[in-house]
């Protein structure tokens, strides 16, 4: 889930080696339910969805959905 979306420094939690890591992103087009990510993520990166309270560096085990 995109955090801080309306500010100048949006970010997401990216899963790296089983830990949530804050990752800055640059956004493009925004719709009601989706936002285009132009920079900061690569195809195949796993990000956390939702607004559950997570801290940078916290150990996570994401449930993968396709």
């Amino acid at each position: 889930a995109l955090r801080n979306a309306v500010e100048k420094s949006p970010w997401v939690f990216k899963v790296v080696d089983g830990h949530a890591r804050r990752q800055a992103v640059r956004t493009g087009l925004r719709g009601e339910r989706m936002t285009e990510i132009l920079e900061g993520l690569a195809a195949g990166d796993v990000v956390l969805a939702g607004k559950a309270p997570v801290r940078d560096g916290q150990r996570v085990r994401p449930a993968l959905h396709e």
Side-chain angles (χ1 to χ4, degrees), residues 12-23 40-41 44-48 56-62:
V12 297
F13 274 122
K14 178 178 162 180
V15 179
V16 179
D17 297 326
H19 293 84
R21 298 291 182 200
R22 186 174 165 149
Q23 175 66 48
L41 294 174
D45 283 348
V46 176
V47 297
L48 298 181
D56 190 35
Q58 180 177 335
R59 188 157 189 69
V60 295
R61 185 172 33 160

Side-chain angles (χ1 to χ4, degrees), residues 6-64:
V6 295
E7 300 295 324
K8 293 183 181 186
S9 54
W11 56 277
V12 297
F13 274 122
K14 178 178 162 180
V15 179
V16 179
D17 297 326
H19 293 84
R21 298 291 182 200
R22 186 174 165 149
Q23 175 66 48
V25 295
R26 186 168 71 90
T27 59
L29 297 174
R30 283 197 294 234
E32 192 172 309
R33 298 190 55 162
M34 300 179 108
T35 301
E36 179 183 28
I37 303 296
L38 299 174
E39 292 179 1
L41 294 174
D45 283 348
V46 176
V47 297
L48 298 181
K51 299 289 184 180
V54 177
R55 293 181 320 277
D56 190 35
Q58 180 177 335
R59 188 157 189 69
V60 295
R61 185 172 33 160
L64 301 178

